Amino acid sequence: MTPLNILYIDNHLLAVEKPAGLLIQGDRSGEPSLLDLSRDWLRREFNKPGEVFLGLLHRLDRQVPGVVLFARTSKAASRLSQQFRDHTIKKFYCAVAEGIVEPEQATLVHYLRKERSLKATVFPNPAPEAKRSELDYRVIESLEGNASVLEIALKTGRFHQIRAQLSFSGHPLLGDSKYRAQWSLPKGGIALYASRLEFSHPIDKKEILVQAPEPKGWPFWDQREKIRK
């Protein structure tokens, strides 16, 4: 069983660190999921019989580790879901983008359309069925003049948004061959993780910060292998 790293817990919330490669929610494969593992942990930790309520509020791609927030009550789930819809929850990520990203700080605005191929198509201007997508980034480190470590504040939560927008801008994420990366990482990994969430507590309104540790081996630059094309 995958051990859980609990980042925050109270009577209304549970935040855990999702490992790379683990599904957020179960599917037809029957593989373990973070949602099921978290429910099982709560059942054991608090000796709860029967079904345990745990509200899924947001998602991360399977390859992406980091902070995931769940609601332990229906009231918290409703109020936090509204915060996500209103984009008042601050979502921060760290990423390694190929090449030297310039300028060192900027806002990217594009229009993304999720395709049946489970890939996002990016448009520079409004397009049919494409949703406005916005993020802020800043460069926090350069790696050997060939890559940039970024902190990203996600303003909207579109499918593959960070991966697609940075690739469209000429800087795919390290390991992200789906979006034209030049370098691969072991086990199909990509250099992206959800580093922290900042939000208003759904009950007492206090400001909460939940932060995940850097994944082991971050920023993975020494693990890269050139993709043969």
Side-chain angles (χ1 to χ4, degrees):
M1 181 178 292
T2 302
L4 288 181
N5 180 17
I6 306 302
L7 302 174
Y8 179 90
I9 186 169
D10 63 21
N11 290 336
H12 302 277
L13 307 174
L14 174 67
V16 300
E17 179 188 5
K18 177 182 125 28
L22 183 66
L23 292 168
I24 285 277
Q25 188 175 24
D27 59 15
R28 295 178 181 178
S29 70
E31 293 182 54
S33 72
L34 186 68
L35 181 60
D36 290 338
L37 292 173
S38 299
R39 280 198 185 109
D40 289 343
W41 181 86
L42 287 169
R43 187 180 294 111
R44 296 192 310 273
E45 185 72 11
F46 297 100
N47 194 27
K48 287 181 172 289
E51 187 67 21
V52 174
F53 177 87
L54 198 60
L56 179 61
L57 302 168
H58 63 122
R59 299 174 184 273
L60 297 179
D61 293 347
R62 182 169 188 160
Q63 305 100 312
V64 178
V67 178
V68 173
L69 180 65
F70 296 108
R72 295 186 60 196
T73 63
S74 58
K75 180 182 288 187
S78 175
R79 293 180 179 180
L80 284 168
S81 294
Q82 188 62 50
Q83 288 189 46
F84 275 104
R85 287 192 295 269
D86 293 341
H87 308 299
T88 56
I89 290 182
K90 297 178 181 178
K91 298 175 286 185
F92 294 90
Y93 292 73
C94 287
V96 180
E98 295 184 351
I100 300 303
V101 177
E102 295 179 335
E104 292 190 348
Q105 187 168 337
T107 298
L108 300 181
V109 178
H110 299 103
Y111 296 83
L112 268 63
R113 185 176 68 206
K114 181 180 177 180
E115 309 292 1
R116 291 183 179 179
S117 62
L118 297 183
K119 187 175 179 180
T121 299
V122 183
F123 302 90
N125 299 303
E129 300 181 19
K131 296 180 179 180
R132 187 180 186 277
S133 305
E134 180 179 349
L135 62 80
D136 297 334
Y137 76 81
R138 67 181 182 93
V139 177
I140 57 178
E141 184 182 358
S142 293
L143 301 175
E144 298 180 10
N146 292 312
S148 304
V149 181
L150 310 177
E151 181 182 68
I152 296 164
L154 198 59
K155 301 299 186 181
T156 53
R158 310 305 184 197
F159 178 78
H160 287 183
Q161 181 179 337
I162 295 172
R163 299 165 63 183
Q165 283 194 271
L166 285 171
S167 177
F168 186 81
S169 301
H171 299 284
L173 299 188
L174 176 66
D176 198 1
S177 58
K178 192 167 193 173
Y179 289 95
R180 302 194 300 275
Q182 299 297 308
W183 300 96
S184 67
L185 290 174
K187 299 180 180 179
I190 60 175
L192 176 67
Y193 78 97
S195 57
R196 71 184 193 271
L197 288 174
E198 298 177 15
F199 58 94
S200 175
H201 193 283
I203 307 303
D204 62 24
K205 310 304 181 185
K206 291 181 180 178
E207 290 302 308
I208 303 293
L209 167 64
V210 183
Q211 192 159 356
E214 290 183 351
K216 184 178 180 180
W218 181 262
F220 309 142
W221 190 237
D222 59 349
Q223 301 176 33
R224 72 195 190 282
E225 293 185 1
K226 192 72 173 177
I227 296 175
R228 296 180 180 180
K229 295 184 178 180

